[in-house]
Amino acid sequence: MPPSEHADELAWSGNHANGNGNAAHATSANAASPWWTDARADPWRDPTAPAAVIVPARGPDPVAVPEVDPPKRRVSLGHVLVISLLAALLAGGLGGALGYLAAVKSGLREAVPLGTGASGTPGVAQRAPGSLAAVAKKVLPSVVTVRVDSPLGTAIGSGFIVSSDGYMITNDHVIDGLNGNATITFNDSTTAAAKLVGTDPESDVAVLKIAKTGLPAVTFGDSDAIAVGDPVLAIGAPLDLQNSVTAGIISSLRRPLEISDGTGPTRYYAAIQTDAAINHGNSGGPLVDAAGQVIGVDAVIKSIGSSDEDAGNIGLAFAIPINQAKRIAESLIATGKVQRTVIGATLQASYHNPNGGVRISGVATGGPAQKAGLKSDDVILSIGGTPLDAAGDLTAVVREYAPGTVVPVIFLRGTGRHTVQVKLVATDG
């Protein structure tokens, strides 16, 4: 086999070789041995020849290849800055976390106020100047709670200041039975006494004078300029919960109401209807528009309860129009009496027609109705655009208007339908 195939094997020739490659002579024992008899005829075997170890020539040492570093990438200054920034952030975050954990473990962590944002300060709500919150803030200082002691106990209602020298408006039924002074509680919980100036039980408006000056007065609106759907706030002390504010809209205008409990006066309202929540204790408080102007005096609610104790808000509340209440209050302050607007006609209380209307039973000589041409048995269908269904409706609607107002009246005479203009007048109540 060629040495190139087995370069690491030893090639043997003749006798065994020692480690130095010198010949080892055969001993006499080996010469007499029959083992070597046949070997003497082997032309490739010479018993006397020294053994030789054939070692393949050593190849050249491998050439050492020096290690070469890979080519270095050039790093821009921008990359250096980004890397430095990331390293700083990571170091800062790690340091902060470790510091926090150390502080918690050691009980030294500083308390952080709850409810603070990124700025570290409590949030402040941003409200538009015309928001409901702004309206409530404007009106609340002018609203008061009224307490009246009477033989029947203490009655609680609301009211509002109409002049800085202490005049205020409330409902007649709030101060009913007043004996002496009423107690007024202001928005800031301070109190003062108030005396009765005058009252109109049928219109359910009363005026008190507070024994204090420099008071914040409300601003009057125009109840003739409001419309169904306008937003409103009712402010007062429902169930003695002072400074309560509820919101709603105007649900209807000139809603004729005639209310009597059989023991006191019959009260007439051509009321502003609202769905703002109004309950016992709201009576006498203001109904205000979106500008914070008073447009009505909260007066009465409709309820499905069978008694006063069961009655509560069901979204049907009524207020006296402020134009009417203001006129009555000014009259009471100036004269102690009230003037009522009349049409100069009496009505047939028993008349009822499913198609509506009220029947005239008589007209006053020289009164507005007679001057306009109205007669007995005429059936008035509407006045000023407000339909009539019962005798009390005419009284309620007429009293809302100021004396001297000219209003259209639609009526039936027989089967004919007619319209006349009637100029209303005042009479002392």
Side-chain angles (χ1 to χ4, degrees):
M1 182 175 295
S4 61
E5 295 186 15
H6 294 280
D8 59 342
E9 293 182 3
L10 296 177
W12 288 86
S13 176
N15 292 330
H16 295 288
N18 60 21
N20 297 320
N22 297 323
H25 297 281
T27 65
S28 60
N30 288 339
S33 171
W35 173 262
W36 297 103
T37 301
D38 297 334
R40 293 189 183 98
D42 185 354
W44 297 99
R45 175 72 178 175
D46 182 0
T48 62
V53 178
I54 301 174
V55 179
R58 183 177 178 181
D61 290 337
V63 177
V65 180
E67 293 185 2
V68 179
D69 292 336
K72 296 182 179 180
R73 296 180 60 186
R74 299 184 64 183
V75 180
S76 66
L77 179 60
H79 290 167
V80 172
L81 293 176
V82 171
I83 293 171
S84 300
L85 179 60
L86 290 176
L89 290 174
L90 290 174
L94 180 60
L98 293 175
Y100 175 83
L101 292 175
V104 171
K105 289 182 178 180
S106 63
L108 298 178
R109 184 172 68 89
E110 182 180 354
V112 177
L114 301 181
T116 56
S119 64
T121 58
V124 177
Q126 300 299 319
R127 299 182 179 88
S131 67
L132 295 181
V135 172
K137 183 178 181 180
K138 172 184 176 181
V139 180
L140 272 168
S142 303
V143 181
V144 299
T145 301
V146 183
R147 284 182 170 80
V148 173
D149 293 324
S150 72
L152 300 177
T154 300
I156 298 174
S158 302
F160 53 95
I161 302 164
V162 297
S163 70
S164 61
D165 58 350
Y167 286 103
M168 59 162 286
I169 291 176
T170 187
N171 286 142
D172 171 77
H173 74 260
V174 169
I175 54 89
D176 188 23
L178 175 63
N179 183 15
N181 292 332
T183 300
I184 303 301
T185 303
F186 299 100
N187 174 254
D188 61 1
S189 298
T190 59
T191 62
K195 65 179 182 180
L196 180 62
V197 174
T199 184
D200 179 16
E202 292 188 13
S203 297
D204 202 10
V205 174
V207 176
L208 301 178
K209 180 70 162 57
I210 305 171
K212 191 173 182 179
T213 59
L215 299 175
V218 299
T219 301
F220 288 125
D222 183 0
S223 53
D224 290 335
I226 60 179
V228 172
D230 283 348
V232 291
L233 294 180
I235 306 177
L239 306 180
D240 202 18
L241 298 174
Q242 300 176 39
N243 307 321
S244 293
V245 180
T246 55
I249 62 169
I250 294 174
S251 304
S252 182
L253 296 172
R254 291 195 175 93
R255 180 72 74 184
L257 299 175
E258 179 183 359
I259 299 174
S260 175
D261 60 6
T263 59
T266 300
R267 307 185 191 277
Y268 299 93
Y269 307 89
I272 300 169
Q273 181 180 328
T274 179
D275 64 349
I278 293 177
N279 290 280
H280 291 301
N282 272 115
S283 293
L287 187 70
V288 302
D289 62 15
Q293 299 175 330
V294 178
I295 58 169
V297 183
D298 299 327
V300 64
I301 63 175
K302 193 171 182 64
S303 176
I304 57 177
S306 58
S307 65
D308 288 346
E309 289 75 16
D310 297 331
N313 170 64
I314 58 172
L316 294 172
F318 306 90
I320 303 165
I322 195 60
N323 290 2
Q324 179 183 1
K326 177 184 176 183
R327 188 173 64 250
I328 294 170
E330 290 174 341
S331 179
L332 290 173
I333 293 171
T335 67
K337 299 184 296 183
V338 63
Q339 286 190 324
R340 298 195 180 102
T341 307
V342 297
I343 193 172
T346 56
L347 303 177
Q348 184 179 331
S350 61
Y351 177 82
H352 178 73
N353 191 308
N355 296 321
V358 294
R359 174 172 286 171
I360 297 176
S361 59
V363 293
T365 302
Q370 187 185 57
K371 288 181 178 180
L374 292 172
K375 299 179 180 180
S376 296
D377 294 329
D378 287 344
V379 175
I380 300 177
L381 299 177
S382 68
I383 180 169
T386 302
L388 306 177
D389 290 314
D393 294 353
L394 180 64
T395 302
V397 174
V398 165
R399 288 185 180 178
E400 184 198 358
Y401 291 103
T405 304
V406 177
V407 293
V409 174
I410 299 175
F411 69 97
L412 294 176
R413 181 171 291 165
T415 58
R417 186 184 182 97
H418 308 275
T419 301
V420 294
Q421 301 294 321
V422 179
K423 184 177 181 179
L424 305 174
V425 299
T427 182
D428 289 339

